[in-house]
Structures are given as C-alpha cells and as structure tokens.
Amino acid sequence: MFGFKLPDFKKDYHRLKRDLRQILRPYYLINIFLSVSYIIAKKLPYFCYFVFSETDCEIDTREAEILFFLMIVIMLRTKKSGSVNMISYLSSSFVYTKVANLILWFYADIHLGILYGIIFLLCGLILPEPTYQGPENVIYLRGANSLQEELERDTRICWLITFYTAWNPACVNFAPIFSELSAKYALDNFKFGKVDIGRYPDAAAKYHINDSSKSQQLPTLILFKGGKEVERRPYADRQGKIVKFLFSMDNIKDAFDLKGVYDHCQKNPIKKKDKKPTKSD
C-alpha cells in the first residue's frame, strides 16, 4: 500500500538460528577463540600473569594500533567480499584476525608467537572450513566450449551461470546461496551452471570477466535465454565502470526475476519427442 516491504522477522529468525547452529561447529569455535586469544590473555588477570608475568595487563599503544588497523581491514574486506550474514562475516575475517593475533603474540614474546603460529597452521590443516551440505541442482561446466555446447544444444532452455574462482572470498560466500537457488528454481528448461574461470580462463576471456585478485567481477552471474546473454551482475556502465552488486539471495531474485523465469519455464515445459517406432524383424 505504501510502496515498501515490512521486514520478514520469521525468515530472519530462522536464518539467525541456522547461523548460530553452524557456529557451534569445531571450525568456527576454535577460529573464534584464536581470533580473540590475545585479548582474552590480556584481560584475564591470573592468566595474564601466568603468560606475560605482568600484574597490570593493559593494551598498550602499539597493540591498540594493531587492533584498530585490524578492524579497518576487516570492514573493508568483508564489504568487498559481499558478506551478508554472520557466517560470511566470520569466514571473511578469520584470516585477518589470526594474522593480527600472530603479530601481537610475536610482539609480546617470540616464543609465544612461534607457538601460536604452529597452532594456527595445524588448525588450518586439520579443520578446513565446512562446505555447504544442503541440496543443489548445479551443472559444473568445463570452460567456454562446454558452456557454448550446452547453450546451443537446446535454445529453449534458460541458463543461470556463475563464473567464479575457488580462491575468491566473495565466490566462496556466494556458493551456498547459488546452491539454494538451484535447489528451489531448477527445471528441465531452467538450469543452473557454474564455470571455474580460475581453471578455465578461456571462459573469462570470452565473457569479458576480469579474474585477477583485485577484480570487482567475481563472482559474475549471467542469465542466458535462447542461447544469448540477457542479464548479468555485476555489469559495466556506459563508461566501462563496474557497478557493484551485493550477492544476497533477495537481490539475485529481484535482479534476474527468478520467479518470473521459473513461472514461464514451468508453464512452457519442453515436450519430449516421441520415439520413432522400430521395424519388427
């Protein structure tokens, strides 16, 4: 009536509940502890005396500068990576917080720094980040030729393709969202696909996607209809400047009109051709 949407508190509640349940996994609990280990050691009186042999455990000027710089880096990196929920923020910040703690421990005592560094490396080897375990309906394509073959095989099929790299934080954060969308909207004539342009740079070149470490085009999402590109995010404006896009589920639904594409494809299913009768002997 008034042209705005009320917040969906029920959806937000379930999302928060899911995130909290995921945080209870060992990977997140241990990394959270490692990320705040130095501050905890400084603020617990008895533990501080045991570790640092100090009675007055206050954060000094140099330590405060390191922590302040860490906050700025985390804010900039999470904004750039498109983190939109608690889990994404944590995943994006763990590397920076642990590196900052490593510097702080070395600053306090070289032996403590070495010990922390060993624990840091062991946790990275033993406890990899949990991957999305939910349902998905995604086809993984091998480069530009593989994608072109699928687009030309049947032009009645709509394709939503993610161009990504395995090392980019924004792509990692977006992966579960794309999987959820594929599980909800995929049909025989509306398919979801992914192309790793880190492994297949020919696809990046063909679709004009910058795959460098400083790229603002990762991930890139393109909708194909009739074998032709009809929509993409992020896109370049008339001056060639990339227009930033936040890869949240709601933004993607709106930008690509997924409900409209889904309804159209559902109402116009691909009819299977009748098999030709075979001659009897």
Side-chain angles (χ1 to χ4, degrees):
M1 179 178 177
F2 296 102
F4 63 89
K5 293 181 180 179
L6 291 173
D8 192 337
F9 293 108
K10 187 176 181 181
K11 184 187 293 185
D12 292 340
Y13 170 75
H14 286 298
R15 187 178 299 161
L16 177 61
K17 187 177 178 181
R18 182 187 60 188
D19 287 348
L20 291 174
R21 187 163 54 245
Q22 190 168 348
I23 287 175
L24 294 177
R25 294 184 179 184
Y27 169 83
Y28 293 101
L29 292 176
I30 292 175
N31 276 279
I32 289 172
F33 175 76
L34 290 175
S35 298
V36 296
S37 61
Y38 191 82
I39 295 177
I40 290 175
K42 276 281 186 176
K43 291 300 180 181
L44 293 179
Y46 295 105
F47 191 74
C48 178
Y49 179 77
F50 176 76
V51 174
F52 302 106
S53 300
E54 298 177 6
T55 55
D56 184 19
C57 292
E58 295 294 333
I59 302 294
D60 64 26
T61 304
R62 180 61 60 84
E63 293 167 338
E65 289 175 352
I66 294 172
L67 291 171
F68 183 71
F69 180 73
L70 169 65
M71 290 174 61
I72 294 174
V73 170
I74 291 175
M75 289 173 63
L76 292 175
R77 295 301 300 179
T78 50
K79 183 178 180 181
K80 183 178 179 180
S81 66
S83 303
V84 294
N85 56 44
M86 187 189 305
I87 298 300
S88 297
Y89 275 115
L90 287 175
S91 299
S92 300
S93 63
F94 279 151
V95 173
Y96 308 107
T97 54
K98 289 187 291 185
V99 169
N101 274 265
L102 181 63
I103 295 171
L104 289 168
W105 282 111
F106 265 109
Y107 172 71
D109 187 293
I110 188 171
H111 300 95
L112 294 174
I114 293 173
L115 177 61
Y116 182 88
I118 292 172
I119 297 173
F120 184 165
L121 293 174
L122 286 176
C123 288
L125 294 172
I126 298 172
L127 286 174
E129 183 174 359
T131 56
Y132 175 74
Q133 300 296 327
E136 69 170 27
N137 197 343
V138 177
I139 299 170
Y140 291 83
L141 302 164
R142 298 182 178 180
N145 292 335
S146 176
L147 173 56
Q148 192 61 37
E149 288 175 4
E150 292 296 337
L151 293 175
E152 294 176 352
R153 192 187 308 276
D154 193 334
T155 56
R156 295 172 296 176
I157 298 175
C158 295
W159 283 87
L160 188 62
I161 305 294
T162 295
F163 297 84
Y164 74 102
T165 62
W167 48 262
N168 183 273
C171 296
V172 174
N173 292 335
F174 176 57
I177 295 175
F178 191 72
S179 295
E180 288 186 47
L181 289 171
S182 72
K184 183 175 181 178
Y185 291 104
L187 297 167
D188 288 340
N189 54 347
F190 186 22
K191 297 185 178 182
F192 288 68
K194 297 183 75 171
V195 179
D196 185 350
I197 58 176
R199 294 180 61 187
Y200 305 105
D202 61 317
K206 180 173 181 178
Y207 293 99
H208 309 290
I209 301 170
N210 183 354
D211 60 350
S212 69
S213 59
K214 296 181 180 180
S215 173
Q216 296 182 339
Q217 293 178 274
L218 292 174
T220 288
L221 200 57
I222 301 180
L223 177 65
F224 295 90
K225 291 182 179 180
K228 305 294 183 180
E229 176 183 334
V230 296
E231 196 71 64
R232 81 157 62 193
R233 293 293 187 279
Y235 63 90
D237 60 18
R238 293 180 180 179
Q239 287 74 38
K241 185 178 180 180
I242 300 300
V243 179
K244 292 183 179 180
F245 180 75
L246 185 61
F247 283 89
S248 68
M249 188 170 294
D250 290 336
N251 284 354
I252 294 165
K253 289 179 182 178
D254 292 339
F256 294 92
D257 187 24
L258 292 190
K259 184 65 167 58
V261 177
Y262 176 84
D263 290 342
H264 175 78
C265 291
Q266 194 175 42
K267 292 176 182 178
N268 299 276
I270 297 176
K271 296 180 180 179
K272 295 181 180 180
K273 294 180 180 179
D274 296 332
K275 294 182 179 180
K276 296 180 180 181
T278 54
K279 295 181 179 180
S280 58
D281 294 336

